[in-house]
Amino acid sequence: MTRCHLQSAYEFELLPAPYLFLLNQRANNEACCAQHDAQAGFDHCKLRVKAAGLNGPGGVRVNKAGCLDRCAGGPVAVVYPEAVWYSYVDQSDIDEIVDSHLIGGKVVARLLLAPDVGH
């Protein structure tokens, strides 16, 4: 699912496939996404991406991350390279991110994490 950006009629630039980072764990047992059952969200997201055929070479990559420093909004997920931050509650939220954002290319406005939400 590598995407292309047309620079001219003869040139194009390959854009990286989306990465979805979620399930962070803090080493010192401070509040973190892992304390909000983020492992279940991560596992579900991996299954949904695979079931949709989005994974594999050039496809969507679902990764765990270190602390994303947005603990107050946890659990959080971020889609790169767009840098769209989400806060999710359950598997239906993950499904909506996969279906709307990763498949449909539309940001899920109701799940957006406010830019001022931090540690």
Coordinates of all heavy atoms in Angstrom, one line a residue, residues 3 22 25-26 28 40-41 44 53 55 58-59 71 73 76 78 80 83 88 90 104:
R3 N 2.0 4.6 -1.2 CA 1.2 5.6 -2.0 C 2.2 6.5 -2.8 O 3.3 6.6 -2.4 CB 0.4 6.5 -1.0 CG -0.6 5.6 -0.3 CD -1.2 6.3 0.9 NE -0.1 6.5 1.9 CZ -0.2 7.4 2.9 NH1 -1.2 8.2 3.0 NH2 0.8 7.5 3.7
L22 N 0.8 2.2 18.9 CA -0.1 2.2 20.1 C 0.5 1.3 21.1 O 1.6 0.7 20.8 CB -1.5 1.9 19.7 CG -1.9 0.5 19.1 CD1 -3.4 0.4 19.3 CD2 -1.5 0.4 17.7
Q25 N 4.3 1.5 27.0 CA 4.6 1.1 28.4 C 5.7 1.9 29.0 O 6.7 2.1 28.4 CB 5.0 -0.4 28.4 CG 5.4 -1.0 29.7 CD 4.1 -1.3 30.5 OE1 3.2 -1.9 30.0 NE2 4.1 -1.0 31.8
R26 N 5.4 2.5 30.2 CA 6.4 3.2 30.9 C 7.2 2.3 31.8 O 6.6 1.5 32.5 CB 5.8 4.4 31.6 CG 5.0 5.3 30.7 CD 4.6 6.5 31.4 NE 5.8 7.3 31.6 CZ 5.9 8.6 31.7 NH1 4.8 9.3 31.7 NH2 7.0 9.2 31.9
N28 N 8.8 2.9 34.6 CA 8.8 3.2 36.0 C 7.4 3.0 36.6 O 7.1 3.6 37.7 CB 9.3 4.6 36.3 CG 8.6 5.6 35.5 OD1 7.6 5.4 34.9 ND2 9.1 6.9 35.6
A40 N -5.0 -5.2 24.5 CA -6.1 -5.8 23.8 C -6.4 -4.9 22.5 O -6.7 -5.5 21.4 CB -7.4 -5.8 24.6
G41 N -6.3 -3.6 22.6 CA -6.4 -2.7 21.4 C -5.4 -3.0 20.4 O -5.7 -3.1 19.2
H44 N -6.1 -6.4 18.7 CA -7.3 -6.3 17.9 C -6.9 -5.5 16.6 O -7.3 -5.9 15.5 CB -8.4 -5.6 18.6 CG -9.7 -5.5 17.7 ND1 -10.5 -6.6 17.4 CD2 -10.2 -4.4 17.1 CE1 -11.5 -6.1 16.6 NE2 -11.3 -4.8 16.5
G53 N -6.3 -7.1 4.8 CA -5.3 -7.2 3.7 C -4.4 -6.0 3.6 O -3.8 -5.8 2.6
N55 N -1.8 -5.4 5.7 CA -0.4 -5.6 6.2 C 0.5 -6.2 5.1 O 0.1 -6.3 3.9 CB -0.5 -6.6 7.4 CG -0.9 -8.0 6.9 OD1 -1.8 -8.1 6.0 ND2 -0.4 -9.0 7.5
G58 N 5.0 -3.0 2.1 CA 4.4 -1.8 1.6 C 3.1 -1.4 2.2 O 2.5 -0.5 1.8
G59 N 2.6 -2.2 3.1 CA 1.3 -2.0 3.7 C 1.4 -1.3 5.1 O 2.4 -0.8 5.5
C71 N 0.0 10.8 28.0 CA -0.6 9.9 29.0 C -2.0 10.3 29.4 O -2.9 9.4 29.7 CB 0.3 9.7 30.2 SG 2.0 9.3 29.8
G73 N -4.4 11.4 27.8 CA -5.4 11.0 26.8 C -5.5 9.5 26.6 O -6.2 9.1 25.7
V76 N -3.7 5.9 23.7 CA -3.6 6.7 22.4 C -3.0 5.9 21.3 O -2.3 4.9 21.6 CB -2.7 8.0 22.6 CG1 -3.3 8.9 23.7 CG2 -1.3 7.7 23.0
V78 N -1.3 6.8 17.2 CA -0.9 7.8 16.3 C -0.6 7.2 14.9 O 0.1 6.1 14.9 CB 0.3 8.7 16.8 CG1 1.6 7.8 17.1 CG2 0.7 9.8 15.9
Y80 N 1.2 7.6 11.4 CA 2.3 8.3 10.7 C 2.3 7.8 9.3 O 1.9 6.7 9.0 CB 3.7 8.0 11.4 CG 4.0 8.9 12.5 CD1 3.8 8.5 13.8 CD2 4.4 10.2 12.3 CE1 4.0 9.4 14.9 CE2 4.7 11.1 13.3 CZ 4.5 10.7 14.6 OH 4.7 11.5 15.6
A83 N 0.8 12.0 11.3 CA 0.9 12.5 12.7 C -0.5 12.8 13.2 O -0.8 13.8 13.8 CB 1.8 13.6 12.8
Y88 N -8.6 6.2 22.0 CA -9.6 5.2 21.8 C -10.0 4.6 23.1 O -9.3 4.6 24.1 CB -9.1 4.2 20.8 CG -7.9 3.4 21.2 CD1 -8.1 2.1 21.9 CD2 -6.6 3.8 21.0 CE1 -7.0 1.4 22.3 CE2 -5.6 3.1 21.5 CZ -5.8 1.9 22.1 OH -4.7 1.2 22.6
D90 N -12.3 1.4 23.0 CA -12.6 0.0 22.8 C -12.3 -0.5 21.4 O -11.8 0.3 20.6 CB -14.1 -0.3 23.2 CG -15.1 0.5 22.5 OD1 -14.8 1.0 21.3 OD2 -16.2 0.7 23.0
G104 N -10.2 4.1 4.3 CA -10.9 5.2 3.6 C -10.2 6.5 3.5 O -10.6 7.4 2.7

